[in-house]
Amino acid sequence: MYATHIYTAQLFGDHAATPWKLQMSAISSHQQLLFVALHKNVEIYRIGHHTQPPTFEVRLKDPALELNDDEINALSLGNIHGSEVLVVVYDSGRTVVWGVCDGFRVLWETQRDSSTWGCAVSDASGMVATSANSHTIDILQHRDQLKNETTYKGTSPQESHGANNGVHQLQRSCQTLHGHTSNIPCVAFSATGQYLASASIDRTVRVWSMEHMKCMFIFRYIQWCWSVAFVYPFYFLPTVSGVSGSRTPERSGVSIAEAQRSYSGGTFSSNGEQSYDTYDEGQSGSEGDGDNIASLENRQNNELQDTLDTPIEVDLDYVAEHSQDMLNGYVDSNTSPAVMGSPEGSANSPGGSELADLPFVPEDSQPAYSSPLLLCSTRCDLLLLDPSNDLLPVVDKIARVVARTSRPAHAEALAFDRITFLEWIPELGIAIAGAFSGTVAIVRLSTSFEDGDHYHQMHVLARIPEQPYDSQLYGVSVYQCPEEDTRSSTFVLYLLFLDGGLMVYELHHPHTLADSD
């Protein structure tokens, strides 16, 4: 048992939330607060003991939006030079940064010319990244630290709201990254802030150098890419000698026939059981998800056909040796022996970004930050990528990671399902992948050693809730209980649904792969 259900509660009323948004909840373990975005405001709940439902404390209202019908698309919690901040991005293109430790005042705000969806914060570099439907990423570099802060302890949000605690306006500079050819739902910084990863529905995952502000890695896939996170093998769990995760259905690899069924909307999973994961990204007619999702689907279908019709010179010997990896995705590279010509929109085409010839190096001399990998979620797959390997970038892949063999009660969520919720918990060596349809997969990341070489693997430990929940997933957050010692901390998973339902699970440490057999 890797997740123990603690309780189910009702956090807010049905129809209070807007569907088809991205990550709409966040947790501050240090402040013991749960943040939930509802329409244009953010509600704050106090977390007492993790076995009890959180209690409402205050609603953050931005005065600039009192007479505005703007909608929040996503929020993210992070630190800027050691001070916790809440980044909120809006459908109008607005970004607002609130100080969490200084009375919940607006530290700064900015306005873009198109809907903003992705947001991330880097404590190490003091950067904030936001991505928009203009297919660009803005990097805001903070040159100054928060000064004269007051501690939140002993002060309620009501008492401190609007108080001036001496925090001055942060000086900042902005740079814009170009290269994606469609919307960018997710951006994520590496641990040291040296790199930024982005996932886009142009079917690419990119890594950008924050020192040079250039793209240095492009991975292309057959599905839209929805979320991405940096993970570090230092925290992967060891595999028991002689035990391979590949003997489970989720880790058995993907055959050509299965991949074709996955892309064309096939109705059977690899083990022959009927699956209701049948949405094809070439279909049209779905509603919601920002601006003109139906037109995006039609455009992707046309782009796919153009890509298939584009002549590409192929080294047949290379393909014969690496056919499985080519099927699972490939990397844009000026030196790749497999792809000599580039489809429209790739890094080498006039419409694409120039791929900088920059080495992907360890971020730090500390072992914990060496050899970073990327965890990427698509419509239905979970991939582990090595951005330092242009020839064999796919380290591992789990197809249909959240697929169930029973139909969810709210079948309309499958009309445009995708895995937009991705959390990495290094202390447990696990990742959490959640889809709009309501299913969450707990995935173990492990390392095995054979003949002096190491191999990284992913393994599905469990899927929760145990029974399909009758609402769309709205937010996924992880809470680290503060009363525990760091080495034995309790981690609690909060699953928030569109109807206001809150399901809370205690996560357990999967010590070895043998535990899951």
Side-chain angles (χ1 to χ4, degrees), residues 415-481:
F416 192 55
D417 198 19
R418 67 272 203 189
I419 304 171
T420 58
F421 306 98
L422 193 60
E423 296 286 334
W424 159 241
I425 311 174
E427 294 87 348
L428 300 183
I430 63 174
I432 308 296
F436 268 4
S437 54
T439 301
V440 174
I442 301 175
V443 180
R444 178 189 190 274
L445 281 71
S446 63
T447 301
S448 62
F449 299 89
E450 297 179 14
D451 300 325
D453 293 328
H454 60 272
Y455 303 91
H456 305 307
Q457 296 178 331
M458 298 186 295
H459 180 85
V460 176
L461 299 176
R463 292 184 179 93
I464 54 176
E466 291 74 10
Q467 297 297 323
Y469 189 83
D470 189 18
S471 184
Q472 179 182 310
L473 195 59
Y474 191 69
V476 175
S477 304
V478 177
Y479 175 62
Q480 183 177 1
C481 299

